[in-house]
Amino acid sequence: MEALFRFTHEIGEIQFPILMFLFKAITILFIVTSIVLFIYDRYIQRENQLLINYPLIGRLRYLFYALRDPMRQYFGDEKFYESFDKVKWVYDSAERKSAYASFSPGQPQKTARLGIKNANCVLNTEDVSDDFSATFGEDSPKPFTTRSVLGRSAMSDGAISPEGTRAFTKGAYLGKFPINTGEGSLTSNFFYTHKYTRECQFFQIQEGTFFAKNVYRIVKFLINPATAQKVYKHMVVTTPAPDSYLFDKTELVFYRVNWDAPMSTFPSQVPDDMPDIIFQMGSGLYGVRDKEGNFCEERYQKTMRFCKMTEIKMAQGAKQTGGKLLASKVSEEIAYYRGVEAHKNLFSPNQFPFAHSIEELFDFTGRLKALSEKPVGIKLVISSQENFTEYANLIQQRLAAGSNAYPDFITIDGGDGGSGAAPLEMMMSVGMNIAKALYIADSELRRVGARQKVKLIASEKVLTPDDAVVLFGLGADYVAIARAFMMSAGCIRARECSGAHGRACPVGLATQDKKKRASFLIEKKARNIASYHEQLLFGIRNLLAVMGLHHIKQLEKENLIFRDNSGKTYMDVERYFEEMLIN
């Protein structure tokens, strides 16, 4: 015991002078830095009057300003959603924690809102069907029947980090729900769950020598697999955009799709080990264009060998302009995927190149149907009933003429939708909210007798099961979710997705910054994403049971109720929308 005391005393004598030296050095450095900044702010710089009047201490303003967005969710009331309880439900569901609430919500629910009618005689949850499928393009040679009526909305690889896209891909595969590529094209990261085999002749591979493979094995044994993979990649992959390659741990090869391979080498059916992918085509035609930027039919057909249907993006809720990707996100890999120049701002055109008129857009839709033999739809934002009536009337005309040149589905993004990069002036000022927009689309398609032919996908601020049930009641056949899936993947809502002002997503989800991305836990987040989807479906079954409905397809407007700010209650929501939508 005495020897132990003597040893610890000696250690303390050794460490204490070192700690004192470090403390003094840091203190001196802080004082010197403060004096230099004081002199610079007061007497030298002439760009900021605040720092002239309040040198040094005025810099705290910019520190607090920088922390405002990342820290707002911890110290401020929830303003964007109905309550923080809904946000917490997403996080808890993703992490497989109990999502039950106690006593009451942390914030009162807003007075004006659509609600749900319960039945006199409710059902047990197990009495509700677990069939949550929807079929698109029933008249197509290859219709698409989903395994869920919920899916991840469009988020491009590029706006999302490679690791984030891989997590979403694995999560969609585990959860058996569709995932939309976004306009950034079908990239290597969407093949994350697809097992490499040497029989897949459409892959371009980079394989190391016997020496390189043994280096990989040694580093893996001595350090860890991640470091071994980095060393091995540095030795093997010598082509541009090295991160566009996936790695097969069994064969020790790096691989990516070779889009120049002959069409005959591509699979005739979507591989079973890939999730259900919806390919989105934006105005930039990324992933389906030739070297001159023109639409390439062959490249599109190759892409559709891995996707279940196509969505033409005309607009989205918070961005009525073309897609925007700042230079900080246009990495060598993103440039390779999209066929553009790296490290330069990438702003897609506002106008889709085959949509100078609705007639031209529908003709192009028919062209894509013929090329893919799969469903094709369009994504838009509704700003008035008159605008959508033009779509509905043209669909009616095409059906009457026996033409299939019309959309199999229409994705409606509400005006309150979000975006990683959008002009602020458009975020909340253009387009109608999803409830009114969905009501218009459903009503107009029924008026022209096309509702059975055209499915409706709804998207805007869906977090919890009740959010989704309301949209299904208003006519949605399928609900696309972006924000909540982002949260389930680890998003902390720091609002730094765009990469502007030199700041990047702090969790590595919405950035191309390699240091931030390196800590992203792909497999863990994939399980969280799948878990969130599972809890959503479970919650929807609970609500259907309370409503006395055996199947989600029984859900209609009659099952909803609306209460306005004055307390006036509309038992018939049709009447509410008729009063709200006045010409």
Side-chain angles (χ1 to χ4, degrees), residues 84-200:
F84 182 73
D85 300 270
K86 297 174 82 71
V87 175
K88 188 174 184 296
W89 189 94
V90 175
Y91 289 128
D92 288 344
S93 296
E95 295 174 5
R96 294 165 291 284
K97 297 178 181 178
S98 174
Y100 289 101
S102 299
F103 192 66
S104 64
Q107 291 171 280
Q109 302 292 291
K110 62 183 181 182
T111 304
R113 66 195 306 264
L114 282 158
I116 297 167
K117 297 178 184 176
N118 64 284
N120 288 334
C121 298
V122 300
L123 305 175
N124 292 320
T125 303
E126 54 267 26
D127 297 328
V128 179
S129 172
D130 59 1
D131 172 23
F132 286 98
S133 63
T135 300
F136 295 86
E138 294 178 350
D139 297 331
S140 300
K142 298 178 181 178
F144 172 36
T145 299
T146 70
R147 291 172 287 179
S148 174
V149 288
L150 305 168
R152 197 207 72 168
S153 189
M155 286 186 270
S156 298
D157 194 357
I160 303 298
S161 69
E163 292 76 14
T165 299
R166 294 176 188 183
F168 280 125
T169 299
K170 181 72 174 285
Y173 178 73
L174 295 174
K176 300 178 181 178
F177 60 85
I179 179 172
N180 190 307
T181 65
E183 65 176 293
S185 80
L186 181 70
T187 68
S188 301
N189 298 306
F190 288 101
F191 290 79
Y192 182 67
T193 59
H194 183 44
K195 173 65 178 175
Y196 166 80
T197 63
R198 295 190 181 273
E199 289 72 34
C200 295

Side-chain angles (χ1 to χ4, degrees), residues 117 558 560-561 569-577:
K117 297 178 184 176
E558 288 72 20
L560 303 179
I561 190 173
T569 302
Y570 292 82
M571 304 305 295
D572 182 359
V573 295
E574 291 270 4
R575 182 176 176 184
Y576 159 71
F577 283 110

